[in-house]
Amino acid sequence: MHAPNKPIISNRSDSRFRTAGFPAPQIAVLFAALVLLISIPIWTHPLPPLSDYINHLARMHVIATLAKNPQLASFYEIDWQVIPNLTMDLIVPLLARVMNIYLAGQVFIVLMFALIISGTLALNRALIGRWSALPLFAFPLLYNYVFLVGLMNYIFGIGVALWALASWIAVRERIWPMRLALSTTFVVVLFFCHLSALGIYGVGLLSFETLRLWQRRSELSPARIADFLVSGLPFLAVAPLLYASPTMQLASSNYWDQRGKADGLMYVISDYSDVAAFALITVMVASLVWAVRHRILRFHPLVFVLLMVGAAVYLALPRVMFDTYMADQRIPLGIAFMVFACGDLELRRRLVRRVFLVVLVILIGGRLIEIDLNWSQLSDSTSQFRSSVRRIAPGSKVFVAYADSSAGEDVRDLGLVHAACIATIERSSLVTTLFTVAGKQVLHARSEYRDYVDAQDGTPPSIAQLIVATEHPQPNTPAFWLNWTKFDYLYILFTEDDAPNPDPSHLKLVADGDRFQLYRILKPTGVATQTN
C-alpha cells in the first residue's frame, strides 16, 4: 500500500515561487494581528445577533450549571450519547467554569476563526511547499450567512477538516499505517464536530487522491488503484459510531430541493447587504484577475478537481439530511476555504507586497464595517429583549410563538429567532424552542415536561394557531401547543408596532419591544401563578 516516493505535481517545482513573498514569521504575525482585527465585532457584542447561537449557548449554560441549579434541573437532564454534534457541548461548558457563559461563547467563536484560517494556511503550506500569504484573503469569509444562522459546530468542523487534509497531504508519502492512523483520528474528531464537516474532509481527500491517481495514470496498476481505495478506509470508523448513535434514527429524514442551490453559493460571501457582498466579490475577483494576468498568482491543480468534485456533491446533496436543515447549502463554505488554500502568490517586489496588504485591509475593513453597523443597529433590539427577560420570574415556563408563521426568514431577524433562550440563561426558565431533539442534542426535557417543548425542532406556531389549538384541538396538533395556557409567559416574535393583545382573556402584556411582545399567561381563579 506504500506508493513510490514520487511527489505529486505542484508549484514546488518553480523556484521563483519558492522564495517569493513574506517570510514565515511575518505571516505568523499577520495571522495573529488579523485574527484580533476580525474578532472586534465579537468582543464588542457579547450577544451577537446569530440565529442558533444563543440557543446553543443556553444549552451550554444548562450543561455547565445543571448540577447546582435546581430550577434548571427540574426541567432538563443531560444524556451523554454518541452524537455528531458535540463540539460546543464539550468545549464551552469547560470554559464556563472560569468565565461567564457569554464570554465563553465569544472565546469559542474567536478560537473557531483562528482554527479555520490557520487550517487554510497549513493546507496551503502542504500543497505548495512553503508558507504563502494568499490564504489570508480568506479572512473576510469568516463572516457569512452560514455563520449568521449560527451553525457553530459545523463551522468549527471546517477548521478541523482543513487541518485534517493538510496533515494527510503532509504524510501522504510516508508509511501507510501512519497516515491511515492520523486520518482515522481526524475522522473520529470530525464525526463529533458535525457530519457535514466530515463530508468536507471527504470531498478534499477524494479530490486530492483523484488528482494524484490522474497524474500517475501512465503508471496505473492494481497496486496504485488499491492505494487509492485504501485512502478511504479511515471513514469506516464512522459506521460503528453511527450505529451506536441515536442520530441513526433520523437517517430517513431527508428532503431534496434543487431550488436554493444558487443561494447556497451566495451564503459563502453574503451577510446583510447584497451591495456589500457584490463589492467584496468585485474587489476579490479583480485582484485575482490582475494577479493572474501579471503572472504573480498561480493555483495548485487540486483546485480544479476540488471544484468538480465539490460541485457534484453539492448538487447531489439533499436540503435536509438526518433531519438537519441546510445540509447542502453549508457545503460551499468549506470548499471555499480549500480553494483559497490552493493559491500561491508571488510577492517578491515591495510594491506588490504593499498593494497586497492594502487590498487585504480594505476587504477586511469593509466586512467589519458592514458587520459592526448592522450589529450596532440590532443591539437595541437585543438590549430590549434582555430587559424583558428580567421581568420573567425565575424558574418559569416560557412559550415562544410568532405573530406570523412565515416570519423569521429575513437576515436582520435571525438574532430574534432564538432570543427567548436568554431566559434559560438568565432566569433558569424552560423555553419551548431550546434545542432538546433526541439524536441531535444531549440536552433533553425531563419526562414530566416532554409535552412542554418542541421535540422536533420545528417552526414555532403563530399566535392564531395557538388560539385555534385551544378552541378546536386537532389530532395532529403538537402536544406542547395544546399545553400553552399552562405556561407562565408567552413571547410573540416579529410583531408590528403597537400590536394589540391577541387574546385578552388569557394574556396580560408585560413588555412591548422592537418586533416582540412578552405576555404573562393568566391563570384561572384559584390556580397558583408565579409573580415577579
Side-chain angles (χ1 to χ4, degrees):
M1 291 185 231
H2 178 49
N5 226 0
K6 181 179 179 181
I8 190 169
I9 297 174
S10 72
N11 290 339
R12 301 182 189 191
S13 60
D14 193 333
S15 61
R16 179 170 62 91
F17 276 76
R18 286 184 59 82
T19 59
F22 295 100
Q26 290 185 7
I27 292 177
V29 171
L30 279 173
F31 164 75
L34 293 177
V35 167
L36 293 176
L37 180 62
I38 203 72
S39 303
I40 288 175
I42 305 301
W43 297 123
T44 55
H45 296 83
L47 194 55
L50 311 175
S51 179
D52 289 3
Y53 171 72
I54 185 59
N55 200 317
H56 292 313
L57 203 62
R59 186 173 74 256
M60 304 306 106
H61 173 72
V62 176
I63 293 173
T65 64
L66 190 66
K68 54 187 178 182
N69 189 323
Q71 291 175 324
L72 284 177
S74 68
F75 295 136
Y76 297 108
E77 59 187 4
I78 306 297
D79 184 12
W80 289 105
Q81 296 174 300
V82 179
I83 292 177
N85 192 26
L86 292 180
T87 305
M88 287 191 76
D89 304 63
L90 297 174
I91 296 175
V92 176
L94 293 178
L95 295 174
R97 293 181 180 180
V98 295
M99 61 188 74
N100 69 64
I101 193 65
Y102 296 112
L103 181 57
Q106 290 170 293
V107 171
F108 178 83
I109 293 175
V110 175
L111 288 175
M112 181 177 72
F113 284 176
L115 183 67
I116 290 174
I117 300 300
S118 63
T120 307
L121 285 164
L123 178 55
N124 182 256
R125 170 68 173 81
L127 286 172
I128 69 175
R130 63 172 181 81
W131 295 105
S132 171
L134 183 66
L136 299 179
F137 261 92
F139 264 105
L141 300 188
L142 290 173
Y143 292 103
N144 53 76
Y145 185 83
V146 177
F147 174 69
L148 296 182
V149 173
L151 306 182
M152 311 309 290
N153 286 339
Y154 165 67
I155 299 175
F156 188 94
I158 289 176
V160 178
L162 291 165
W163 274 103
L165 185 58
S167 300
W168 174 267
I169 295 172
V171 303
R172 182 61 179 88
E173 304 304 332
R174 300 187 183 183
I175 57 174
W176 64 266
M178 176 189 295
R179 67 174 184 268
L180 292 185
L182 183 62
S183 184
T184 301
T185 301
F186 273 113
V187 164
V188 172
V189 172
L190 283 165
F191 173 87
F192 287 105
C193 288
H194 201 278
L195 288 177
S196 296
L198 178 62
I200 292 296
Y201 175 47
V203 169
L205 183 62
L206 176 60
S207 300
F208 180 81
E209 290 299 315
T210 299
L211 174 63
R212 188 174 183 273
L213 190 66
W214 171 257
Q215 292 181 330
R216 301 181 177 191
R217 61 191 180 279
S218 61
E219 307 169 11
L220 205 59
S221 66
R224 291 201 181 279
I225 295 176
D227 185 54
F228 171 81
L229 296 175
V230 164
S231 300
L233 284 180
F235 289 86
L236 294 179
V238 175
L241 291 173
L242 268 181
Y243 181 79
S245 173
T247 304
M248 199 61 189
Q249 301 171 9
L250 307 175
S252 61
S253 299
N254 302 315
Y255 170 71
W256 275 263
D257 189 355
Q258 294 305 310
R259 297 172 300 175
K261 294 290 185 180
D263 292 336
L265 298 177
M266 285 301 300
Y267 290 167
V268 174
I269 203 78
S270 63
D271 282 325
Y272 294 96
S273 169
D274 291 339
V275 173
F278 179 76
L280 185 64
I281 292 174
T282 300
V283 173
M284 280 189 166
V285 172
S287 301
L288 292 175
V289 170
W290 181 88
V292 170
R293 289 189 62 184
H294 287 78
R295 298 182 180 180
I296 61 174
L297 173 65
R298 63 190 302 175
F299 285 94
H300 191 282
L302 175 64
V303 71
F304 305 108
V305 184
L306 184 64
L307 290 174
M308 288 188 291
V309 173
V313 171
Y314 180 53
L315 292 174
L317 277 175
R319 181 63 38 82
V320 176
M321 189 174 183
F322 284 95
D323 203 30
T324 298
Y325 191 61
M326 289 178 64
D328 58 341
Q329 292 176 321
R330 62 184 73 191
I331 296 300
L333 180 63
I335 303 298
F337 285 107
M338 288 185 176
V339 168
F340 272 95
C342 292
D344 188 17
L345 191 63
E346 178 196 356
L347 298 173
R348 288 186 303 166
R349 290 176 292 176
R350 180 178 300 177
L351 177 61
V352 176
R353 290 198 296 271
R354 289 178 177 174
V355 171
F356 168 82
L357 290 176
V358 168
V359 173
L360 182 58
V361 169
I362 289 174
L363 289 171
I364 294 177
R367 178 111 295 181
L368 288 177
I369 290 172
E370 179 194 8
I371 292 296
D372 195 64
L373 283 176
N374 282 278
W375 284 12
S376 295
Q377 293 172 4
L378 295 172
S379 64
D380 290 339
S381 178
T382 302
S383 297
Q384 291 179 33
F385 205 100
R386 291 189 71 178
S387 295
S388 74
V389 167
R390 298 187 188 101
R391 305 189 67 177
I392 294 175
S396 299
K397 299 185 293 295
V398 179
F399 199 103
V400 180
Y402 286 177
D404 181 353
S405 58
S406 63
E409 296 297 328
D410 187 273
V411 66
R412 295 181 61 83
D413 287 337
L414 292 177
L416 195 59
V417 171
H418 292 288
C421 293
I422 299 173
T424 299
I425 297 174
E426 301 189 2
R427 309 305 281 175
S428 299
S429 297
L430 178 145
V431 179
T432 53
T433 54
L434 187 63
F435 292 146
T436 57
V437 181
K440 297 174 70 173
Q441 284 88 33
V442 297
L443 178 66
H444 301 141
R446 297 182 68 86
S447 58
E448 57 268 38
Y449 288 105
R450 298 271 167 83
D451 290 339
Y452 285 75
V453 298
D454 180 5
Q456 303 300 320
D457 191 14
T459 301
S462 69
I463 185 62
Q465 289 174 313
L466 282 187
I467 294 173
V468 169
T470 302
E471 298 174 351
H472 306 287
Q474 301 296 317
N476 295 327
T477 302
F480 76 104
W481 291 22
L482 301 175
N483 287 330
W484 78 270
T485 55
K486 299 177 184 178
F487 283 71
D488 303 301
Y489 296 89
L490 170 68
Y491 266 115
I492 303 180
L493 307 182
F494 312 115
T495 57
E496 300 295 333
D497 293 340
D498 300 318
N501 187 329
D503 190 2
S505 63
H506 288 100
L507 302 173
K508 180 180 179 181
L509 184 66
V510 174
D512 191 350
D514 183 16
R515 302 275 284 152
F516 73 90
Q517 290 177 326
L518 173 64
Y519 289 91
R520 186 193 309 279
I521 298 177
L522 302 177
K523 305 298 181 181
T525 303
V527 177
T529 184
Q530 300 183 40
T531 58
N532 290 330

